[in-house]
């Protein structure tokens, strides 16, 4: 029949096109055009031993059902305490998340917890800390700022024998002598930097073209990005394409321009990014979208920061962020209350440091925070509540 020849020709053309797609790009039936798959695994990875180690570490960090590994013993609840949380700014999602944990735990243990917002400025934080000391509370939490900024207020608190607990107040977890803190609650920056770089190594099968976003004006952030680069360098197949130094205060104005420049310089080579804070990817998204990049495709981005709700939203919707290394903010709020209770009981700090976690669309189950299991029950048992 004369109508069968065009149909056959069309079928052959379609088959050839599909075959070409499979050979050239690895297309497969059912693949989404809106979200690209991770890069295919090469026949010979660039760093087999490092890659195997990175894969094992990231598998462990992505677990969501690990048993509570924190304290299970400690002093019973000291009743009737009043504490004050001095917040760097309540617009900081990490601070706000920890505040909610502190308030929840304080209600459970039977304390009065007050929050004073420092509004994010040195003068505001100093004024807030001054108000906190004037209230003569049993304890004060330094939430998300350097105690050296409030050295006079810290000295007054010590003179009044008010124990101080830090959250991200100094660079390392545990007690601090200068400035003097009963303990500082945070994950280890070394662990956060290492696991974020390991994710890049594992996700790229040891072949990433990576960009690191940092804020070199902040010593803590600069140290984190140096540690990230050091871990990336352990894999010979990973190439560091660029390090973008953008102050966090300037991310909204500078990140889109820098991302556009990176896309121009490395249109195909740029496959992965690590940022010291998730906020960089919120500001990178418009430039990536304008360049018609797919939200679930390269560059695959991981934030080595607090893991704020907007980061989870981008991850879950596959909009230019693939993963984050979140702090367990609520758990850390409960830990702050437990550490204060130990201080009030003349006991040493618990020494607990939460393990790092990687949140992805596959393991976050649509949530907007990392809330590990078991800690509430453990602390209630310790406190007799």
């Amino acid at each position: 029949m004369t109508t069968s020849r065009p149909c056959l020709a069309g079928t052959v053309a379609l088959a050839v096109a599909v075959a070409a797609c499979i050979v050239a790009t690895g297309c497969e039936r059912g693949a989404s055009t809106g979200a690209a798959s991770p890069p295919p695994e090469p026949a010979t990875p660039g760093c087999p031993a490092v890659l195997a180690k990175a894969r094992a570490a990231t598998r462990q960090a992505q677990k969501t059902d690990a048993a509570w590994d924190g304290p299970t013993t400690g002093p019973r609840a000291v009743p009737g305490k009043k504490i004050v949380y001095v917040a760097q700014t309540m617009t900081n999602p990490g601070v706000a998340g920890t505040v909610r944990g502190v308030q929840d735990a304080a209600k459970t243990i039977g304390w009065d917890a007050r929050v004073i917002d420092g509004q994010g400025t040195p003068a505001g934080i100093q004024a807030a800390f001054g108000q906190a000391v004037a209230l003569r509370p049993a304890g004060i939490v330094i939430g998300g700022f350097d105690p050296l900024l409030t050295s006079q207020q810290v000295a007054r608190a010590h003179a009044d024998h008010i124990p101080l607990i830090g959250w991200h107040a100094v660079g390392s977890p545990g007690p601090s002598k200068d400035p003097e803190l009963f303990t500082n609650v945070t994950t280890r920056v070394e662990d956060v930097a290492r696991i974020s770089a390991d994710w890049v190594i594992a996700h790229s099968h040891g072949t990433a073209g990576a960009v690191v976003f940092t804020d070199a004006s902040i010593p803590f952030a600069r140290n984190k990005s140096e540690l990230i680069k050091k871990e990336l360098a352990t894999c010979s197949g990973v190439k560091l394409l660029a390090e973008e130094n953008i102050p966090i205060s300037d991310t909204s104005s500078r990140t889109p321009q820098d991302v556009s420049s990176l896309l121009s310089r490395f249109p195909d080579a740029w496959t992965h990014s690590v940022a010291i804070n998730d906020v960089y990817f919120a500001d990178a998204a418009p430039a990536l979208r304008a360049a018609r990049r797919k939200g679930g495709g390269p560059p695959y981005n991981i934030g080595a920061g607090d893991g704020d709700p907007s980061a989870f939203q981008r991850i879950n919707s596959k909009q230019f962020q693939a993963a984050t290394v979140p702090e367990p903010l609520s758990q850390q709020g409960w830990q702050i209350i437990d550490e204060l209770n130990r201080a009030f009981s003349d006991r040493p700090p618990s020494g607990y440091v939460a393990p790092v976690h990687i949140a992805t669309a596959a393991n976050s189950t649509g949530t907007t925070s990392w809330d590990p299991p078991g800690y509430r029950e453990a602390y209630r048992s310790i406190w007799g509540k």
Side-chain angles (χ1 to χ4, degrees):
M1 295 176 61
T2 57
T3 56
S4 64
R5 190 174 299 276
C7 179
L8 178 60
T11 302
V12 171
L14 176 61
V16 171
V18 169
C21 174
I22 293 173
V23 170
T25 63
C27 297
E28 58 184 23
R29 185 175 298 175
S32 170
T33 59
S37 300
E41 184 169 359
T44 305
C47 53
V50 173
L51 178 58
K53 183 178 179 181
R55 284 173 170 166
T58 54
R59 279 196 299 268
Q60 179 64 33
Q62 290 180 70
K63 292 181 178 179
T64 59
D65 58 353
W68 170 244
D69 64 342
T72 55
T73 60
R76 292 299 204 199
V78 178
K81 295 297 183 179
K82 294 182 179 181
I83 66 166
V84 177
Y85 189 115
V86 180
Q88 180 253 347
T89 173
M90 287 299 289
T91 62
N92 180 323
V95 171
T98 312
V99 164
R100 288 190 290 271
V102 164
Q103 291 172 327
D104 185 26
K107 183 177 180 180
T108 300
I109 203 172
W111 295 352
D112 177 24
R114 177 172 175 176
V115 180
I116 303 179
D117 190 346
Q119 304 294 330
T121 67
I125 294 169
Q126 290 164 2
F129 207 140
Q131 294 176 44
V133 176
L135 291 171
R136 301 186 68 83
I140 294 175
V141 182
I142 297 174
F145 61 90
D146 187 345
L148 296 177
L149 179 67
T150 54
S151 56
Q152 293 182 357
Q153 291 81 7
V154 166
R156 286 171 52 196
H158 288 317
D160 291 343
H161 305 288
I162 301 172
L164 303 177
I165 304 286
W167 179 80
H168 286 208
V170 293
S172 301
S176 172
K177 292 184 178 180
D178 185 20
E180 186 179 345
L181 304 175
F182 179 76
T183 196
N184 181 55
V185 177
T186 183
T187 50
R188 290 188 179 91
V189 65
E190 297 87 354
D191 295 343
V192 173
R194 184 182 304 111
I195 201 65
S196 60
D198 282 348
W199 181 87
V200 169
I201 294 169
H203 189 267
S204 70
H205 311 300
T207 62
V211 172
V212 174
F213 293 90
T214 190
D215 181 349
S217 69
I218 303 173
F220 180 82
R222 184 173 64 249
N223 179 47
K224 184 189 291 187
S225 59
E226 290 298 319
L227 292 168
I228 290 169
K229 291 189 297 179
K230 182 178 180 181
E231 182 68 10
L232 289 174
T234 63
C235 179
S236 59
V238 171
K239 182 178 180 181
L240 179 64
L241 301 177
E243 181 179 17
E244 298 297 303
N245 175 26
I246 304 174
I248 288 179
S249 59
D250 295 338
T251 55
S252 60
S253 61
R254 287 187 48 185
T255 303
Q257 178 181 348
D258 281 32
V259 168
S260 295
S261 175
L262 288 165
L263 289 170
S264 177
R265 293 163 57 197
F266 311 109
D268 300 316
W270 181 17
T271 65
H272 290 76
S273 311
V274 190
I276 54 95
N277 191 288
D278 293 299
V279 69
Y280 290 92
F281 301 131
D283 295 315
L288 293 167
R289 194 173 290 113
R292 299 185 179 276
R293 291 300 179 106
K294 297 174 182 178
Y300 301 99
N301 300 318
I302 182 169
D306 295 345
D308 65 74
S310 68
F312 276 83
Q313 290 165 4
R314 287 190 297 276
I315 291 165
N316 293 332
S317 60
K318 297 183 179 179
Q319 289 298 305
F320 307 105
Q321 186 166 351
T324 187
V325 183
E327 296 280 283
L329 300 174
S330 180
Q331 179 271 312
Q332 289 176 336
W334 280 66
Q335 182 181 348
I336 286 168
I337 293 298
D338 183 64
E339 302 291 4
L340 282 167
N341 191 57
R342 292 169 190 268
F344 300 154
S345 304
D346 295 323
R347 300 279 289 275
S350 70
Y352 180 63
V353 181
V356 290
H357 175 71
I358 297 174
T360 67
N363 69 0
S364 68
T365 62
T367 60
T368 57
S369 65
W370 165 230
D371 195 31
Y375 66 88
R376 292 180 178 88
E377 296 78 6
Y379 283 127
R380 286 194 188 104
S381 177
I382 292 172
W383 302 336
K385 297 291 182 176

